[in-house]
Every structure is written in structure tokens, then in C-alpha cells.
Amino acid sequence: MSNLNTASRKLTGAALGAAALTGSLLVQAPSTQAATVTLPPTHAAFDYQIGGAYTPPQGVKVVTRDHTASPAAGLYNICYVNAFQAQPGAEKDWAPDLLLRDSAGKVVYDEDWGEALLDVSTDAKRQRIAGTIGTQIDGCRNKGFQGVEPDNYDSYTRSGNRLTANDAQAFIKLLSARAHADGLAIAQKNTSELAGNRKANGLDFAVAEECGQYNECGDYTSAFGNNVIVIEYTDSGRSKACKGWGSTLSIVQRDVDVSPVGTSGYVRKTC
């Protein structure tokens, strides 16, 4: 999950209309073949289950689950992968030179989540990291997910200027190519300042945390049309998102820990 305090900030014309009607988008795979990916239905009831899978509430049509979980039968399933940062405590799973380090050689962390940033500063390192994340994306396909959500696209904003937006975009292009080769739609997660580049980066829809809270939902719809899924973590954020976008976008409020139903702290509210 990205830093909630820095939760970031195209389809156009006939292409947007066709995608809205069919839910599909023709994309060019990294070879000479073209793959058809299916986008999530727009303005559909959504549940965010990256903290643990459970039976989706009645009426839910779209669900995001961790790549280690199984898809929910009969729904549109989005597969969560932590693509730009290591999971908490999982630094040992990565080669030491693939962890971003400061001038003293210490690993740079997303302090809010205790996650080490991956070093996507060079093409060679991006290719190696993409090999590991790509294997997870392949696993999403094999399990039957229809889309993939690579998290922490905005990690460069937490890198102390050791990583750049260009680094992040070069890496997401590798993941987009892998997802499309697998027949999966791929989401832009947060990072509204790069939404305008979504076509060049191969991104099909958006998953936006707290765009209501931070008045950013319009940044995503300008780039992705109504192919935007909104997750809010406060009543005020949900209220703002629902007031402005409740008739067009998929919007849900969850607790910050995205707890499974039946556990303490579980929150799920909609418009």
C-alpha cells in the first residue's frame, strides 16, 4: 500500500466509448501479437481485499486481492502486487544491490509502511526487478485474475530524489508489457501527476487512493475517463468522492489496514 499522506495525485474519443461499451481494449503485446484485455466494469460495486480475502459483500462486481490469494468466483478480479517496494521484512528476498540505498549505504524505506524501496534507477536493475515481479504477474494470470495492480508507482516521491519519475515510468512500461502479454489489464496506482502519460506507459485503468480526500479524482478521470476505482479511508474523503463522482466511478471506503470482514477494525462503506 502506498503512503496515504502522499497518495497521488487515455482513453479518448471513440476509443473511450468503445471501451465503456465493451469493457475491452486492444493493446499491443511486446511481440508482434496483439492481446485483448478486459477492463473492469465502470461504476461497479467494488471491494478492496488486499489485507485478506473473504466472501465479497452482496452486489460486488469487482474485487482486488493479493497475488497470493485466489480470485473470487464470478467477479472481475484485480491482482495486487507490491511492485516498487519490498514487503515489510522481505528485504532478504531481494539481491542487496536491488534495494535502494542512501549515500551511507543504508537501505531507504517507506517509513509509513516499513517497506524498503527497490532500486529502479538503471535499466539493468529494472530488468532484474521486472523479472521477479513479472513472475508474480504470470501467477496472477495463471490463477484467473483479469487485471493487475502494481503498487507504489509513486515510491520515487519517497526516495529523497534518488529515483525519478522517469525511472518509475521506465519500470512500469516493463510491467505493462508483461501484463498485456499475459492478457491482463494493468492499473495505474495513485501518482496522479503521471496520469497524463498513461497511454505511453501502457496503463489501462486507475486505482486511486484518497483522490476524494485530496481533490485529485478529476486528475484521473481526465486521463482514464470513468475507468477509475476509488478507495477512501475516511468518512470525509468518501463523502467528497461520492458527492463529486458517485454517479460515475467505483468508490469504496475501507479501513487503513484493509482488514478482512469479521475482524476488529473492519470498515467498508460505499456511496
Side-chain angles (χ1 to χ4, degrees):
M1 181 183 291
S2 64
N3 180 345
L4 298 180
N5 293 323
T6 58
S8 295
R9 334 231 152 299
K10 58 181 117 151
L11 293 174
T12 60
L16 175 57
L21 288 172
T22 66
S24 297
L25 182 66
L26 187 67
V27 297
Q28 187 66 39
S31 68
T32 58
Q33 298 179 344
T36 299
V37 303
T38 301
L39 301 181
T42 60
H43 192 222
F46 172 72
D47 199 16
Y48 205 45
Q49 298 189 1
I50 65 172
Y54 52 88
T55 301
Q58 186 175 5
V60 165
K61 301 296 184 184
V62 182
V63 65
T64 293
R65 288 180 171 177
D66 190 75
H67 71 95
T68 59
S70 297
L75 305 184
Y76 186 100
N77 287 268
I78 302 167
C79 189
Y80 172 95
V81 295
N82 194 356
F84 288 77
Q85 299 180 180
Q87 288 291 91
E91 295 89 339
K92 63 183 181 301
D93 295 339
W94 294 92
D97 69 311
L98 295 182
L99 301 175
L100 186 67
R101 296 177 185 274
D102 63 18
S103 58
K106 295 182 179 180
V107 175
V108 178
Y109 283 87
D110 176 343
E111 298 295 343
D112 282 356
W113 297 100
E115 297 179 351
L117 272 63
L118 299 177
D119 187 353
V120 296
S121 62
T122 70
D123 181 65
K125 290 183 178 182
R126 289 192 290 266
Q127 293 286 346
R128 290 166 62 197
I129 296 168
T132 296
I133 302 302
T135 298
Q136 295 179 7
I137 292 173
D138 293 347
C140 296
R141 172 204 59 196
N142 295 341
K143 287 184 173 182
F145 286 89
Q146 293 102 327
V148 62
E149 176 194 321
D151 200 8
N152 291 307
Y153 187 27
D154 61 351
S155 64
Y156 71 92
T157 66
R158 299 184 287 280
S159 71
N161 296 317
R162 298 174 182 90
L163 299 173
T164 69
N166 287 338
D167 295 332
Q169 291 177 100
F171 184 59
I172 204 72
K173 288 176 183 178
L174 298 177
L175 303 187
S176 296
R178 186 66 164 259
H180 289 158
D182 283 342
L184 301 176
I186 183 169
Q188 172 169 321
K189 178 69 172 292
N190 299 327
T191 328
S192 65
E193 62 269 23
L194 300 182
N197 300 333
R198 75 95 184 161
K199 186 174 182 180
N201 292 328
L203 300 166
D204 304 313
F205 65 102
V207 175
E209 289 178 302
E210 299 200 292
C211 72
Q213 184 72 30
Y214 294 104
N215 301 312
E216 295 173 337
C217 296
D219 297 333
Y220 294 103
T221 59
S222 293
F224 292 91
N226 292 341
N227 293 114
V228 179
I229 294 171
V230 178
I231 304 115
E232 298 291 335
Y233 297 102
T234 65
D235 288 334
S236 62
R238 173 176 52 84
S239 178
K240 289 170 66 177
C242 290
K243 181 178 180 179
W245 308 99
S247 64
T248 55
L249 304 184
S250 299
I251 300 171
V252 72
Q253 179 184 342
R254 289 300 326 270
D255 56 285
V256 172
D257 293 325
V258 284
S259 309
V261 68
T263 62
S264 61
Y266 170 82
V267 172
R268 183 181 183 272
K269 301 178 182 178
T270 58
C271 296

